[in-house]
Amino acid sequence: MSARVRAPELRGRAWLNTGGKVLRLADLKGRITVLDFWTFCCINCLHVLDELRPLEQKYADVLVVIGVHSPKFEHEKDPDALAAAVERYGVHHPVLDDPELDMWQQYAARAWPTLAVIDPEGYVVATMAGEGHADGLARLVDDLIATHETKGTLHRGDGPYVPAAEPDTTLRFPGKAVALPDGGLLVSDSARHRLVELGTDGETVVRAIGTGERGRTDGAAGAATFSEPQGLCLLPQQVAEVCGYDLVVADTVNHLLRGVRLATGEVLTVAGTGRQWRSTVDDHAHDALSVDLSSPWDLAWYDGKVVIAMAGIHQLWWFDPIKRTAGMYAGTTVEALRDGPLDEAWLAQPSGLAVSTDGRRLWVADSETSAIRYVENGVLGTAVGQGLFDFGHVDGPAAQALLQHPLGVCALPDGSVLIADTYNGAVRRYDPASGQVATVATGLAEPSDLVLTADGAVLVVESAAHRVTRLAPGALSAAGAETVDGPRHRTERKPMDLASGEVVLDVVFTPAPGQKLDDTFGPSTRLVVSASPPELLVEGAGTGTELSRRLVIDASVPDGVLQVTAQAATCDADVEHAACHLTRQDWGVPVRVVDGGAGRLPLVLRGMDAG
């Protein structure tokens, strides 16, 4: 840019992780500051938290990361829920609570997540949308250190982070649970990076599997490590006997599947490389230990294999523990709600799985669309839910019912399904026979999973209360349910005014410093465009290799959402053993068709927008 831009002052409702201190830009003078605009429901935002951790450690004396929490869901505006999320996800830097998105607008953020880099003199020098910026960000920080040390404007020292005290509880933000054959319960104690076995009372600790420290070490129960584990899946006995372990764990932040031998508690890695998936969509079977995964969140045994809720890329995958292979099962990686054949359907951060008692239907908690989806006969359908930006607490006919970011499902013997309606703090029930949704329990603290025990009881993993609770007897009866007509919410993002007729879509991509476009294995870029409703686009939908495309907008459709997916392959430049990278991002761009609207739609593909 030709003109330097002063960073807007930091203002919000409250600060976390500062020991009560209110930070101003003047307090950060002389330091390199990265503002991370995030919201705690968003898996891409959670990926960025993990990407920033090594940078915060490497540059601890010159770099300050500040999370600016910019909520999507109503529940995320609750300051207590934000404080819990900061602890849950191990956020070890100051966080500014920005419930009305004032800072989001001041810094012109357009997507979750967005990073803004402020130099030691208080100027915005770069913005980056999406995830995958660690390498480029490190190079930028190195350049800023060199520049400002020469100028004498870089000041080294301790940062403003002040850790909060952690209460002493048996569990800490448990994620998922599974009933064991002996009547006990195994729980993923996510924030403490371990598994905990509870006795038949659901409270007494029998043993822990994992040290409780973040890591990815295999071995004995007392030496193994996990990183924010979530879903658990018991294998059928005959499968376990062949593959040599009884349980599969979704080791979420490690991007791995781990196997556990229950008799000894021994842990081994069974799928994943530990690298996050940044590749192209295919329908091939891959060696399970050579394929990259992306934030596996839950698991279920369905159709003769382990199905994985791959939250990080909005898909379902499969894993065969006997053949030791894995591959894609449903979804295209586009984040949205669309039903249809498994290879054409769209999901949005699937986070909970359950199989009907007859084995025919796989229920899916599709959290970002606040929807309950299902797989049956090779097709993905929707039972409850309306889209990425519609949510609430409304019972009644399923077509009108609303949920708020559900994370868990539990199939009941009568064919109905219980829903851990996480951000509503409720347990809901959908009955396919009647097509109705009802509320069976409220007042829960972020329920994230449900378990049906052998004796017919239902246990709730009440994550933000750090415990497992039991649904009251009779809650599942007709008399125990209630019909709630609560609030309806729609996340309103300011639409872009577009002209009808011809519009040029330009996706701007700038490789990170030290990288160049790589066409070794074919075209280096790819662009996929669609619209909701489809009628919005007269021309321009489909897949191509150019990052610029002519669209034709229908004047008779007043508004809608353009779904754009772009990717670019790069490699390190002028390096003997160059590493390859794939940059990919999805946008849902709300548009309004008006006279005098713009004739060009520019988007930035995770590249650096230098300031």
Side-chain angles (χ1 to χ4, degrees), residues 248-332:
V248 182
V249 182
D251 194 6
T252 303
V253 174
N254 277 328
H255 310 297
L256 297 174
L257 299 187
R258 315 290 289 280
V260 177
R261 297 184 176 107
L262 289 178
T264 62
E266 184 181 356
V267 177
L268 62 156
T269 299
V270 298
T273 62
R275 296 184 300 267
Q276 186 183 339
W277 185 92
R278 300 188 192 281
S279 188
T280 54
V281 176
D282 66 54
D283 59 359
H284 307 309
H286 298 268
D287 175 81
L289 289 172
S290 68
V291 70
D292 299 341
L293 309 179
S294 183
S295 296
W297 207 274
D298 203 8
L299 308 165
W301 183 262
Y302 177 69
D303 195 23
K305 58 185 75 72
V306 176
V307 175
I308 310 163
M310 200 72 79
I313 46 175
H314 318 298
Q315 288 185 307
L316 303 179
W317 279 41
W318 58 266
F319 165 60
D320 187 327
I322 295 178
K323 294 182 179 179
R324 302 178 185 179
T325 51
M328 297 181 181
Y329 185 68
T332 67

Side-chain angles (χ1 to χ4, degrees), residues 537-597:
L537 274 181
V538 178
E539 295 180 29
T543 301
T545 59
E546 299 294 328
L547 292 183
S548 182
R549 185 175 302 179
R550 172 181 174 272
L551 310 178
V552 176
I553 306 295
D554 192 333
S556 67
V557 180
D559 53 48
V561 176
L562 287 176
Q563 296 283 351
V564 180
T565 299
Q567 68 182 42
T570 59
C571 64
D572 294 340
D574 304 320
V575 177
E576 183 177 356
H577 301 290
C580 297
H581 314 271
L582 188 80
T583 302
R584 178 188 176 91
Q585 188 163 337
D586 298 317
W587 295 269
V589 183
V591 299
R592 181 171 53 194
V593 182
V594 297
D595 291 338

Side-chain angles (χ1 to χ4, degrees), residues 11-77:
R11 296 185 176 88
R13 178 167 61 184
W15 284 89
L16 292 82
N17 284 351
T18 64
K21 181 178 180 179
V22 174
L23 296 182
R24 294 286 181 249
L25 287 176
D27 301 316
L28 306 172
K29 186 177 180 180
R31 310 294 291 275
I32 301 163
T33 302
V34 173
L35 302 183
D36 174 19
F37 291 86
W38 71 300
T39 185
F40 64 76
C41 71
C42 166
I43 192 66
N44 309 92
C45 299
L46 302 186
H47 289 164
V48 168
L49 291 177
D50 299 322
E51 292 171 358
L52 290 174
R53 284 192 181 99
L55 298 180
E56 293 179 84
Q57 295 171 2
K58 179 179 180 180
Y59 300 104
D61 62 337
V62 294
L63 176 67
V64 175
V65 174
I66 293 176
V68 182
H69 189 259
S70 312
K72 170 187 172 181
F73 287 102
E74 197 68 18
H75 175 70
E76 292 175 297
K77 297 179 181 180

Side-chain angles (χ1 to χ4, degrees), residues 162-176:
V162 178
E166 179 184 321
D168 183 19
T169 56
T170 301
L171 303 173
R172 206 72 197 154
F173 297 105
K176 303 289 184 180

Side-chain angles (χ1 to χ4, degrees), residues 90 400 424 588:
Q400 285 80 49
N424 279 326

